[in-house]
Amino acid sequence: MDTDNAQATSGWVVLGPVSLGFSFSLFLSQSLSRGDFSGIAHTPFLIQVLLGTTLMFWGLHLLRSAAIRYASGLLGKKAFVRYQRCEIYTYLVFSLPLLGYIGVLPSILLFWVTTAFYLILQLALIAFSSKSTGSTAVTPSGKFALLFLISGASSLMYQIVWQRVLFAAYGINIETVTLIVSVFMFGLGIGALLGGYLSQKFERKLVLLFILCEVSIGLFGIISIPLLKTVAAGTVHYSLVQTIPALFFLLCVPTIFMGATLPILTAHFHGYFKNVGKSVGVLYFCNTLGAATACILTVDIFFLFFGQNQTILIAVILNLMIAVLAWLWGGSQKAGTSPEHVKVSQMVPVRPLSYALILALSMTAGFISLSQEILWVRFVSYMSQSRPHVFAHVLGFFLLGISMGAKYAERLSIQSALRPIVHIGKIYAVNGLLFPIGFFVIGEAAQFDKTYAMGLAYTFIFINAFLTGQIFPLLCHFGINREIHVGAPVSRIYLANIIGSTIGPLLMGFFLLQYFSLKMNILLMGWLGLLLSGSLMLHAPGLKGRIWRMGGVAVLSGLCLVAVGEGMRNVLEKVHFGSDFSLKGPYKYLHENRSGIIAVNSNESGDIIYGGGAYDGHFANSIREDSNGIARTYMVAAIHPDPKKVLVMGLASGSWVWVLSQYEKIERLTVVEINPGYAGIVSRYPPYNEILNHPKVHLHFTDIRRWLLRHPDEKFDLIVANVTHNWRSNTTSLLSAEFLRVSKDHLNPGGVLYYNSTGSEHVPHTAARNFKHVTTYSNFVAASDHPFSLSEEHKRKNLSLFTRDEQPLLDTTDTAIASIVQAMASHPLDDQVKEWLLRTDLREITDANMLTEFRMTRLSWFNRRLAWRRGW
């Protein structure tokens, strides 16, 4: 007891100052980076530091608790005592932000470098504690728990990369995204069944089975990217129904082996613990913790420095390393002997629940969990304007919560007094209330500081996942009443969970998000949680006499949800505009469907349209005011002499398409838009709504890359792409060299690709590496294999052919417009290929390196001018 008190005291002494130093360093660096030296003495800054210190302290406290529990399961008794004496000092590494004194800037990279140092120190301390005892102090179960953690990390690395590869082939529309996630989950479920069968049939070969699974995954990983690309290219013309079996057979090999590992190792661990809940809890904790870590590392480290191909190679190395270590450690396994730190009192007898109820609850838990994850991804993505890291970060915190919930369930499984139905009912109730409350709180916080609101979002994601993460291990513990062959029943419960996790994305992605708003779906998930909680409580033994009290709680919970629903009014505007919400007010129009969220807001320059929270353009066609850069549209008259067939990527406000439809030389205008909701918005705005029924205009609602691949015979004189911001998620698919080559194949001789660089110099550099001639106008790039040689007179004549009702859109009798037309006609379109190719500081954008999305942030981690010492 004295040792525990001493350890707790040392924790407060060290974690307190470290947390204060971390938060003070972070917010001071942020203030100085904005040039605001004076603000550090004001109350808002001090409140930020106070709140940041509190959150940091409890975060480190939870991290320390998890690390100690993991080490206690990994080390023997003597080694663990040695570990406890030194572990608190590993947290001093979180003082690294103090390097801001010399100019190191706060960034996600610095945070993960700090975390990586901490993990290295922890592993080094565990190794040192093990050797210092003079014996092999790491338990066999601890070794395999560590291997399963690494296995979870490699699996998520594969998933993230494979999704990116498949998106490039099949498109990034919601249908494809949902199908890929669902097929991946379904493969895991089939693998779980296979693993359960094999664990029962080859009871004495469990370690060998685990090794074979890891080797198979690694071997598939080696050929995965070229194989995925080959199969995707061969099935690009398949319908949606035909794509499902194609995706399944494409991913079934690795996902089946991934899913098989849990029941196999559960059967193996049961030989040690004689406790199903503890076995599943430990393994589920380790696997999901590794997966959560991989989510963060993949997008913030591996994609940043290596790209897709090298990331896959790292995952393959991890799989093969796991197989080798399992082979080396497998000879020391003596199943049936319990580690010395597992007390006999932990092996309590279990009174199992109805197996049908267990399967139903497992399926329901998977459905709720994955449905909530999808809603969180949409909300946080909208909040961040579709930053590329969002999906992996949300998934990472979600899996982290699942892992901690599994670890907590492991502790609960040794409590003989636990009533599982009651406990799971409470989980559903608390989760059902906290889920919608989280969105309300985040919306209110965003009006003060969007950075804090984002932190709150990840906190609520963790809490929701922590609650639902307890359910699966507890169901395994109370659903299995056998001392042997636990792998098979665990696999069936796991399969039920996977089925629910598969149905969730399908139902949410294809139906609920199409016909109900984000707010309605959030409330629906809250009501579902309360409904399940009430159903369980009514059938829980010993609680039927409290029916009136339970009814009162249910009524109050329902009223709370109603109040939260009312409080969520304008929540999208709040997280979008932040502190400017009071000025910009509610949206003028809002359209939500499964493809995304489209909003319209008004300001002094007119109505603005937003897609996914990011600027998409104005409703304007005036070249005089040019609030939306519409001059770039008219400039097509200067870059191609006679564009009869034109392809436009994206619809947005319809302003650009409307202008092009008035160009007399264009005979056919093909428009490909990924979200059909834009047509509904455009229909509200004359004259732009004319394009919806214009004889020249032909609209297609699908992913542009998929449309091009599925229509290889379509050729165009001009392809226009007002591409979204280069840093947004999956924008690489519209800027990469691979996409330029696909577009080039659809150009007629002399054809031009005319697209938005959105400020990235890597874009024209990439164009110069794939076309013979490149020029620029404003932030647009024009690329062709034929020179841009129109004379000034020819350009001016073409510009006069933009007419409406036989009246020119560019009326040169207006002095201001005449001046603009003259500037456009005289603008030099010199060939810039050599100039861009000579730039050694630029790189070609490819699908694999995802340059503009992930790899540009690594350049801004140090700035000596912003060192603190210069500001004192």
Side-chain angles (χ1 to χ4, degrees):
M1 183 64 68
D2 292 338
T3 303
D4 293 339
N5 290 335
Q7 290 294 326
T9 302
S10 66
W12 284 88
V13 170
V14 175
L15 294 186
V18 166
S19 302
L20 178 61
F22 186 95
S23 58
F24 180 78
S25 305
L26 178 66
F27 295 116
L28 178 62
S29 297
Q30 288 179 338
S31 297
L32 299 187
S33 67
R34 294 191 295 263
D36 183 17
F37 283 79
S38 60
I40 63 176
H42 295 166
T43 302
F45 176 80
L46 298 178
I47 292 175
Q48 282 185 327
V49 171
L50 179 62
L51 291 174
T53 301
T54 303
L55 292 173
M56 184 67 188
F57 177 83
W58 286 110
L60 289 181
H61 176 70
L62 291 173
L63 184 62
R64 185 188 181 210
S65 299
I68 290 174
R69 290 189 177 279
Y70 179 73
S72 68
L74 190 65
L75 296 170
K77 184 176 181 180
K78 294 181 180 178
F80 181 64
V81 172
R82 179 83 174 185
Y83 165 84
Q84 281 185 301
R85 294 174 183 170
C86 304
E87 63 83 25
I88 187 61
Y89 300 108
T90 62
Y91 291 86
L92 292 174
V93 73
F94 285 96
S95 299
L96 274 179
L98 291 172
L99 291 175
Y101 181 77
I102 61 172
V104 175
L105 303 180
S107 65
I108 191 68
L109 180 60
L110 176 62
F111 178 78
W112 294 125
V113 167
T114 303
T115 306
F117 280 176
Y118 158 74
L119 292 174
I120 292 171
L121 289 174
Q122 281 280 329
L123 292 174
L125 180 57
I126 289 174
F128 172 76
S129 301
S130 173
K131 291 184 178 180
S132 66
T133 60
S135 62
T136 304
V138 179
T139 64
S141 60
K143 293 177 180 179
F144 273 83
L146 178 62
L147 293 183
F148 204 42
L149 184 147
I150 300 173
S151 177
S154 66
S155 297
L156 256 293
M157 290 165 66
Y158 286 128
Q159 181 182 354
I160 292 173
V161 174
W162 291 344
Q163 283 181 345
R164 296 280 312 199
V165 174
L166 291 172
F167 291 164
Y170 290 108
I172 55 172
N173 52 325
I174 186 63
E175 294 85 0
T176 303
V177 174
T178 302
L179 280 179
I180 291 173
V181 173
S182 299
V183 168
F184 200 94
M185 297 298 296
F186 186 70
L188 293 178
I190 299 299
L193 273 184
L194 177 63
Y197 169 77
L198 293 176
S199 67
Q200 184 172 344
K201 186 172 181 62
F202 302 100
E203 185 180 359
R204 298 183 180 275
K205 302 291 185 181
L206 298 175
V207 174
L208 180 59
L209 290 174
F210 177 65
I211 292 173
L212 290 175
C213 287
E214 293 298 324
V215 170
S216 300
I217 297 168
L219 293 178
F220 182 87
I222 294 174
I223 62 171
S224 61
I225 290 184
L227 178 62
L228 291 176
K229 290 181 178 179
T230 301
V231 174
T235 59
V236 70
H237 294 285
Y238 283 17
S239 66
L240 186 64
V241 176
Q242 293 172 319
T243 302
I244 296 175
L247 284 175
F248 174 74
F249 286 113
L250 188 61
L251 297 174
C252 66
V253 174
T255 54
I256 284 175
F257 284 115
M258 289 174 187
T261 54
L262 178 63
I264 289 172
L265 281 189
T266 299
H268 180 68
F269 267 51
H270 189 62
Y272 290 96
F273 298 124
K274 306 300 182 187
N275 183 306
V276 179
K278 185 172 182 64
S279 300
V280 175
V282 169
L283 289 171
Y284 208 49
F285 161 72
C286 291
N287 194 250
T288 50
L289 180 62
T293 305
C295 286
I296 308 301
L297 292 179
T298 298
V299 298
D300 291 322
I301 301 295
F302 298 147
F303 279 179
L304 191 67
F305 291 99
F306 305 122
Q308 292 178 4
N309 296 329
Q310 290 81 2
T311 300
I312 284 289
L313 181 60
I314 293 171
V316 169
I317 292 172
L318 290 178
N319 284 126
L320 299 181
M321 181 187 73
I322 291 168
V324 171
L325 291 176
W327 178 266
L328 295 175
W329 291 343
S332 63
Q333 301 304 300
K334 297 179 181 179
T337 58
S338 299
E340 60 180 7
H341 60 281
V342 180
K343 300 178 182 179
V344 177
S345 61
Q346 292 177 345
M347 303 174 191
V348 294
V350 176
R351 179 183 300 172
L353 300 172
S354 163
Y355 200 63
L357 177 61
I358 291 293
L359 294 177
L361 288 176
S362 183
M363 185 184 299
T364 305
F367 174 83
I368 290 179
S369 190
L370 262 292
S371 298
Q372 289 183 349
E373 181 196 351
I374 287 177
L375 295 176
W376 276 120
V377 168
R378 170 164 288 210
F379 183 76
V380 178
S381 179
Y382 190 83
M383 188 176 177
S384 68
Q385 301 180 32
S386 302
R387 297 280 176 177
H389 305 77
V390 164
F391 172 77
H393 284 178
V394 170
L395 183 59
F397 279 92
F398 176 80
L399 291 171
L400 182 62
I402 292 287
S403 68
M404 294 304 172
K407 189 64 177 175
Y408 184 66
E410 175 208 338
R411 296 177 60 190
L412 294 176
S413 68
I414 63 175
Q415 298 179 12
S416 58
L418 181 71
R419 292 184 291 179
I421 292 295
V422 175
H423 184 75
I424 294 174
K426 290 178 180 178
I427 288 175
Y428 280 135
V430 175
N431 183 63
L433 284 173
L434 278 183
F435 183 64
I437 287 175
F439 291 89
F440 165 72
V441 172
I442 294 164
E444 297 303 309
Q447 298 177 74
F448 298 95
D449 192 306
K450 289 186 69 172
T451 302
Y452 273 115
M454 187 67 72
L456 280 173
Y458 290 127
T459 301
F460 276 103
I461 291 169
F462 172 85
I463 294 173
N464 287 136
F466 172 80
L467 292 169
T468 55
Q470 301 173 39
I471 297 175
F472 174 68
L474 288 177
L475 292 176
C476 290
H477 184 68
F478 289 97
I480 301 171
N481 190 28
R482 291 192 291 175
E483 292 295 324
I484 58 174
H485 303 319
V486 299
V490 165
S491 70
R492 288 191 284 271
I493 298 174
Y494 187 43
L495 175 62
N497 188 265
I498 293 295
I499 290 174
S501 301
T502 304
I503 295 174
L506 289 173
L507 184 61
M508 185 64 68
F510 279 96
F511 179 75
L512 293 177
L513 285 175
Q514 177 68 19
Y515 297 104
F516 300 99
S517 66
L518 178 66
K519 172 186 169 183
M520 287 300 300
N521 279 296
I522 292 168
L523 292 175
L524 180 63
M525 297 310 300
W527 284 110
L528 179 59
L530 293 182
L531 179 63
L532 288 171
S533 174
S535 300
L536 289 175
M537 291 298 188
L538 287 175
H539 293 87
L543 291 182
K544 295 181 180 179
R546 306 176 186 178
I547 186 69
W548 294 108
R549 187 186 306 174
M550 291 166 54
V553 172
V555 171
L556 289 176
S557 300
L559 292 175
C560 180
L561 272 186
V562 172
V564 170
E566 184 63 25
M568 285 174 61
R569 186 189 301 273
N570 305 131
V571 67
L572 290 175
E573 292 93 324
K574 293 173 182 176
V575 298
H576 182 186
F577 299 128
S579 57
D580 293 334
F581 169 68
S582 58
L583 298 175
K584 296 186 176 181
Y587 292 136
K588 183 175 181 179
Y589 301 116
L590 179 65
H591 185 94
E592 299 182 59
N593 59 20
R594 66 188 179 201
S595 299
I597 301 173
I598 306 169
V600 176
N601 199 50
S602 300
N603 65 8
E604 61 278 0
S605 61
D607 285 4
I608 305 173
I609 189 168
Y610 298 92
Y615 172 81
D616 257 349
H618 282 70
F619 290 89
N621 58 30
S622 171
I623 200 171
R624 182 200 293 269
E625 288 79 18
D626 203 4
S627 59
N628 57 346
I630 201 70
R632 297 170 298 175
T633 314
Y634 289 100
M635 198 63 183
V636 301
I639 65 172
H640 194 286
D642 191 24
K644 289 182 168 57
K645 291 186 64 178
V646 177
L647 170 66
V648 179
M649 303 181 191
L651 179 62
S653 68
S655 302
W656 282 51
V657 176
W658 183 84
V659 169
L660 291 174
S661 70
Q662 310 304 310
Y663 189 25
E664 292 182 8
K665 288 199 170 186
I666 296 179
E667 298 174 358
R668 182 180 178 88
L669 193 58
T670 303
V671 182
V672 180
E673 169 59 55
I674 197 169
N675 189 340
Y678 282 101
I681 295 292
V682 171
S683 66
R684 299 173 179 266
Y685 285 86
Y688 312 112
N689 56 2
E690 296 173 3
I691 63 176
L692 301 179
N693 298 296
H694 197 287
K696 284 186 182 180
V697 179
H698 302 269
L699 288 169
H700 304 272
F701 296 105
T702 184
D703 177 84
I704 178 60
R705 192 160 178 171
R706 182 169 175 79
W707 189 88
L708 289 172
L709 292 172
R710 290 169 65 93
H711 297 82
D713 297 330
E714 291 281 357
K715 303 292 182 180
F716 302 94
D717 301 310
L718 178 67
I719 298 177
V720 180
N722 192 6
V723 182
T724 187
H725 307 285
N726 64 79
W727 43 261
R728 293 186 75 193
S729 180
N730 292 299
T731 309
T732 296
S733 64
L734 300 178
L735 299 175
S736 68
E738 291 86 348
F739 180 70
L740 295 190
R741 289 192 285 269
V742 171
S743 300
K744 188 176 182 178
D745 290 340
H746 286 77
L747 289 175
N748 287 318
V752 178
L753 174 62
Y754 183 57
Y755 67 117
N756 197 340
S757 70
T758 65
S760 172
E761 292 187 321
H762 295 276
V763 173
H765 175 80
T766 303
R769 294 176 67 95
N770 290 274
F771 287 88
K772 295 179 181 179
H773 302 278
V774 170
T775 191
T776 57
Y777 177 77
S778 182
N779 62 347
F780 260 59
V781 177
S784 177
D785 282 343
H786 291 259
F788 301 96
S789 55
L790 268 70
S791 66
E792 183 176 330
E793 184 60 31
H794 195 165
K795 295 175 186 176
R796 188 179 292 106
K797 180 180 178 181
N798 282 354
L799 288 169
S800 67
L801 298 178
F802 287 92
T803 60
R804 174 176 168 80
D805 297 330
E806 300 183 354
Q807 298 297 318
L809 293 181
L810 303 178
D811 184 5
T812 52
T813 59
D814 184 311
T815 305
I817 294 179
S819 176
I820 296 172
V821 170
Q822 174 59 30
M824 294 172 63
S826 61
H827 182 84
L829 296 177
D830 300 329
D831 194 349
Q832 303 172 8
V833 166
K834 291 183 179 179
E835 174 187 335
W836 289 111
L837 290 179
L838 289 173
R839 291 281 300 274
T840 58
D841 58 321
L842 301 177
R843 295 185 57 194
E844 183 179 35
I845 305 168
T846 67
D847 288 343
N849 66 28
M850 303 164 291
L851 187 66
T852 60
E853 292 184 57
F854 295 100
R855 307 190 73 176
M856 296 307 299
T857 55
R858 68 177 178 179
L859 303 177
S860 58
W861 65 275
F862 179 81
N863 190 332
R864 187 174 297 174
R865 293 186 299 103
L866 298 177
W868 302 351
R869 66 175 187 270
R870 298 176 65 89
W872 296 137

